[in-house]
Amino acid sequence: MDNKEYSAGLTELRAVRDELKPLERELAQLQAKVGKLRERRAEKIRELGGYAKATSDRIATAAGLGVIDIVALVPSLAPQGAPEAPGEPPATETVTSDQLAAQAPAEPIKEMAAPAKPDEPQTVEPSGTVACLGVAPADGTSDLEVLADPEQAAAAPAPIAAGTGEAERVLPSIPAGAEGDAWFRAEPNLASKRPNFKQAARGMAFLDAATGVLVWQGGTVRLDLGRASVAKILTAVYAVAPASVERIYVTAGDPWHQGAERHEFLKDAVAAWLNGPLPDGWTVEASRGRDRQAGHLVHPRNPVGRWQRGDQHTEIRSVGEWFDPEGADPATVRAAFVELWKALRPHFEDVVLMGSPSQTGRDLWSRTIPTKAGAKWADGFPVMSQEIRGLLHATAGQGRTELITPPRVPERVPGWYEVDRTFAYAKHTWASGVGVPRRITAATFAAMTEKQQTNALFAPSHWQVRVTIPKDWTHVGLLPAPAPGERAWHYPYEGGRTFTTWAGGAEVNLALRNPIAPWRIEILDGLLWESGDPLKSWSTKLRDAWQALRATAEIHGDEQQKQACRLASRAVRSILLYGIGTFAQRPRITTGSLELGAGGEVPDLPEGARLTGITDTHITWERNQGFSRDQYAHPEWAAGVWSAARAALLSVSTSSKDPQTGKPMKAGALHLPAGSILAFRTDAIYTSAPVDWEYGGEPGDYLLKGRMPWEQTTPRNDEEFYYLQALGRQAYESEGM
């Protein structure tokens, strides 16, 4: 750089300064305005919260906030509350001001730090009336005792999480007496029934946005995409592909992450890409048919863009919704979708591959609903009341994600082993709760015989419990407990600690009957369903397709088809995994954008909306719409599967038999040494101890996926964890070469 260039640069910098200053002043004014409105809103919420019949969900909808935000301002509404949507990837949609869709929390570009360590052990003296289960005393007396009256069973204040200064979330409870009993009903005129129509098939194309290679049924071409903007992709694709192609799956390149370095959150980068300029004649899709949503889905990793040009409609989606393509070219990815359809066709006569595995999974399930006259549930599976659905949404977490760091484990460990339960959820779909649940209060449970109590805990159920960990406990935590933050969970492990939470019957049973030492469980309240098998036929068909694809991948002579079948088998897993997730209906969060007025004037937000972002030209907003009348809303099914899967991470029977006893072998974290568990990731365990569990190829069996039998530095954050995960898999794969 010479002096002339330096002077020119200073002149340019001054111009940027002069342009930036008024914008900063406008932003400061806007922030001050927003601050005043938030204060006014908080005052109004507190005022409305004093009304005797006030409910947190109605105030949340009117305020444009989550229920958990309302409870923070008006703690007296906590028993009726239902926190916001979970962090494990719910969909997020962005729409124009007159369009509706669903929204997920923003994801930072950088990996999140390791979760905060749980607080120090504490003991809370039991108060209230509960039925207590635990270790039978040495004198042989019963392990069931009634302590007092159930009214204040869960009234203990929330403990403070160590190192955060934040109080743990207080989970909602069922109101006492007739008010709570009224929750136990079905929604009128709302049930899951078999559809009487067949989904429309959509033409698909597969695009590598990095190389420009496009593959569809009609051929293969290489496109010049430049920076792969929306406008460039739509123009280039439809210059060669017919209008019948309505879904463009991006297999590589992630064009929506362009300019991510300019945004704090990946979601913001995605939204900016989706809302970029469009070619002449194209607009954001407004509506089309009952199997379509309008607007864009803003997900940080797997977004969906929807546009239309006259009667022509199209989507740009990520194939990552279905599986990790692992470098496969677009032709191989297309072959995987063909193999997927061929594998499903023998089991589902009306199979149509929809845009996502979750949509496909729910549609396939709906076609297994009984229709024969006189068959049980032929009139449809009833949908529970909004109150019960809200309670399950707030108290039933998903997969266990936990990183265990020093000093709980050594700074350096003797090895790294990853074992994963393959197609695990299929193992937990044979029995599910159906119909309207019974309420089992502490007094009701205490009045049961020991056999009735055991049957209740083994039946499809969901329990509010107070838990006391044995004083000499040294292994991992067994039951989820609420942690600071929306939908955050951790797993207390400190000996002697007492906490209150909700858990499924599978986990309560595991805590009582684990192979190390039983935990003390006090039943405070619960939901007990009739046992049925609404998911069994569906999951069995998916299991058969999964096994067939895996078998074909093992013996196929063509490498491309071998890889295609492997990818297709993973797509079947996604159909099961995300199909189950669709039953867990969440509050509908709509989001949209409005253009700034002349001079940067901020427009009025829609009623009940809150401001979430601002750019030079637009503002974005979101609004909580509450729970919709969804005929397929069955959070009790998703909650039961998730609970059973979390319990199986700790201890589960495998398909292998003990040669001496003939009984199933056991596997899981509790069958490994204390202090050897380094992490959990949904269906996977990461440990420093060698694992020799035999893999039988059945759903839920543990498969060794990574191994480094030499000393490693223990990961302290997600970045280090994923680095070791990749190294472990590479090392194990190299052993087989």
Side-chain angles (χ1 to χ4, degrees):
M1 177 181 293
D2 56 24
N3 188 57
K4 183 178 180 181
E5 291 174 326
Y6 179 70
S7 298
L10 290 175
T11 301
E12 183 180 354
L13 184 59
R14 293 187 191 99
V16 173
R17 176 200 64 193
D18 294 340
E19 186 178 355
L20 183 60
K21 278 188 174 181
L23 293 176
E24 288 178 332
R25 286 195 295 269
E26 291 175 15
L27 179 60
Q29 293 171 356
L30 178 62
Q31 289 173 333
K33 180 179 178 181
V34 169
K36 291 179 180 178
L37 287 173
R38 284 177 174 165
E39 291 176 5
R40 179 180 167 191
R41 179 179 63 188
E43 291 175 3
K44 195 64 180 177
I45 289 171
R46 294 189 185 98
E47 177 186 337
L48 293 172
Y51 177 52
K53 296 183 179 180
T55 60
S56 55
D57 55 341
R58 293 193 65 184
I59 295 178
T61 300
L65 293 174
V67 173
I68 196 168
D69 299 318
I70 304 302
V71 171
L73 290 168
V74 190
S76 62
L77 297 179
Q80 307 272 349
E84 264 304 330
E88 179 163 328
T92 305
E93 300 200 15
T94 185
V95 294
T96 54
S97 57
D98 59 347
Q99 299 169 334
L100 301 179
Q103 163 92 13
E107 175 180 327
I109 291 174
K110 295 182 179 180
E111 295 291 349
M112 295 181 65
K117 298 172 187 174
D119 48 326
E120 292 301 313
Q122 58 176 301
T123 300
V124 179
E125 291 301 322
S127 64
T129 294
V130 293
C132 178
L133 302 173
V135 189
D139 61 5
T141 57
S142 172
D143 61 356
L144 171 65
E145 51 181 312
V146 179
L147 300 181
D149 173 54
E151 287 285 331
Q152 302 173 351
I160 301 299
T164 68
E166 297 182 69
E168 295 179 348
R169 298 193 328 279
V170 177
L171 297 179
S173 301
I174 305 171
E179 182 182 359
D181 293 341
W183 288 19
F184 291 77
R185 68 183 191 282
E187 286 288 347
N189 304 314
L190 192 63
S192 303
K193 297 183 179 181
R194 191 166 185 158
N196 57 8
F197 66 94
K198 182 177 179 179
Q199 296 288 358
R202 313 293 187 192
M204 303 179 188
F206 301 87
L207 174 67
D208 184 328
T211 65
V213 173
L214 177 74
V215 177
W216 77 102
Q217 189 175 16
T220 302
V221 297
R222 185 181 294 272
L223 307 175
D224 179 7
L225 297 179
R227 287 181 54 80
S229 66
V230 171
K232 191 67 175 178
I233 290 175
L234 292 176
T235 300
V237 167
Y238 288 106
V240 296
S244 58
V245 169
E246 300 184 49
R247 290 193 186 114
I248 303 169
Y249 283 106
V250 174
T251 65
D254 293 350
W256 39 79
H257 288 164
Q258 291 179 16
E261 69 280 356
R262 300 194 300 269
H263 300 272
E264 182 180 1
F265 298 107
L266 275 180
K267 191 190 76 171
D268 297 333
V270 171
W273 184 84
L274 289 170
N275 291 308
L278 295 174
D280 289 343
W282 286 93
T283 60
V284 175
E285 184 181 65
S287 63
R288 179 161 81 107
R290 56 183 150 186
D291 62 337
R292 277 303 184 100
Q293 299 181 62
H296 303 317
L297 180 89
V298 182
H299 187 278
R301 302 289 179 186
N302 300 313
V304 181
R306 300 183 178 98
W307 297 272
Q308 66 184 86
R309 180 174 56 180
D311 293 334
Q312 180 183 358
H313 298 255
T314 193
E315 295 179 331
I316 297 178
R317 312 184 72 111
S318 168
V319 80
E321 293 180 88
W322 292 85
F323 47 73
D324 179 356
E326 297 182 344
D329 58 54
T332 303
V333 173
R334 180 180 181 276
F337 276 78
V338 172
E339 293 299 325
L340 172 62
W341 185 87
K342 289 164 59 178
L344 293 173
R345 182 67 175 79
H347 307 290
F348 299 96
E349 182 178 330
D350 293 337
V351 60
V352 171
L353 298 182
M354 301 180 69
S356 69
S358 59
Q359 292 171 325
T360 304
R362 188 162 77 171
D363 182 66
L364 293 179
W365 172 78
S366 70
R367 297 173 194 280
T368 66
I369 298 174
T371 57
K372 185 178 179 180
K376 195 165 189 180
W377 310 113
D379 293 332
F381 294 101
V383 173
M384 293 179 299
S385 70
Q386 179 171 313
E387 292 87 351
I388 292 294
R389 284 181 282 142
L391 179 74
L392 287 169
H393 167 70
T395 62
Q398 299 184 25
R400 180 170 182 168
T401 298
E402 182 179 17
L403 183 65
I404 300 174
T405 59
R408 287 183 62 186
V409 291
E411 296 279 353
R412 293 185 64 81
V413 290
W416 173 272
Y417 303 86
E418 176 189 1
V419 284
D420 181 76
R421 298 183 67 227
T422 59
F423 209 58
Y425 282 10
K427 190 179 179 69
H428 307 299
T429 55
W430 285 51
S432 302
V434 288
V436 177
R438 291 170 52 204
R439 182 179 188 180
I440 306 296
T441 64
T444 302
F445 191 85
M448 291 179 171
T449 66
E450 185 175 349
K451 182 178 180 180
Q452 289 172 330
Q453 291 175 349
T454 300
N455 290 343
L457 291 173
F458 274 100
S461 53
H462 192 61
W463 303 95
Q464 186 180 34
V465 293
R466 187 159 53 225
V467 183
T468 302
I469 304 173
K471 291 186 180 298
D472 56 354
W473 186 262
T474 59
H475 220 295
V476 297
L478 304 186
L479 294 174
E486 293 184 4
R487 298 291 295 175
W489 301 88
H490 63 175
Y491 295 81
Y493 61 89
E494 306 93 337
R497 178 175 175 178
T498 294
F499 61 97
T500 298
T501 190
W502 284 84
E507 290 169 287
V508 173
N509 270 310
L510 186 281
L512 287 167
R513 299 171 174 84
N514 73 80
I516 298 175
W519 287 22
R520 179 186 175 89
I521 303 293
E522 303 167 38
I523 300 295
L524 309 179
D525 214 335
L527 297 84
L528 178 64
W529 285 269
E530 176 185 345
S531 183
D533 58 359
L535 305 178
K536 182 178 179 181
S537 174
W538 172 70
S539 68
T540 299
K541 293 172 187 288
L542 292 177
R543 179 203 64 193
D544 292 345
W546 173 75
Q547 290 178 327
L549 286 165
R550 285 168 58 88
T552 303
E554 289 293 326
I555 63 175
H556 209 293
D558 183 271
E559 282 301 317
Q560 185 189 53
Q561 288 302 112
K562 184 186 290 284
Q563 185 179 16
C565 288
R566 282 200 300 268
L567 296 177
S569 72
R570 293 169 191 167
V572 176
R573 175 187 179 273
S574 295
I575 289 173
L576 178 79
L577 183 72
Y578 299 121
I580 288 171
T582 63
F583 293 122
Q585 185 198 36
R586 301 176 178 93
R588 186 175 176 84
I589 309 297
T590 61
T591 181
S593 63
L594 293 170
E595 190 173 356
L596 294 176
E601 181 181 353
V602 179
D604 292 333
L605 297 178
E607 183 180 356
R610 67 185 181 96
L611 183 70
T612 57
I614 184 169
T615 68
D616 292 341
T617 59
H618 289 77
I619 62 169
T620 56
W621 54 264
E622 71 176 21
R623 176 171 55 191
N624 187 336
Q625 298 288 104
F627 290 94
S628 64
R629 280 181 59 83
D630 181 355
Q631 65 172 321
Y632 298 125
H634 291 286
E636 68 275 20
W637 297 348
V641 171
W642 293 336
S643 175
R646 290 193 300 267
L649 269 184
L650 302 170
S651 183
V652 67
S653 297
T654 70
S655 61
S656 301
K657 304 289 185 181
D658 186 314
Q660 295 182 343
T661 65
K663 296 181 179 179
M665 298 284 285
K666 294 283 189 177
L670 296 182
H671 300 278
L672 294 169
S676 71
I677 307 301
L678 304 176
F680 294 100
R681 285 295 186 276
T682 307
D683 295 324
I685 299 172
Y686 299 82
T687 175
S688 62
V691 181
D692 59 358
W693 302 327
E694 182 180 348
Y695 179 65
E698 293 297 317
D701 280 355
Y702 279 97
L703 173 67
L704 184 63
K705 294 183 67 175
R707 180 170 67 180
M708 292 187 289
W710 55 84
E711 191 173 87
Q712 305 289 334
T713 299
T714 303
R716 287 182 169 271
N717 53 50
D718 283 351
E719 183 178 1
E720 295 174 1
F721 165 80
Y722 287 116
Y723 177 74
L724 277 184
Q725 182 194 64
L727 285 183
R729 292 178 179 180
Q730 292 171 9
Y732 184 59
E733 289 173 5
S734 67
E735 292 179 14
M737 294 181 178

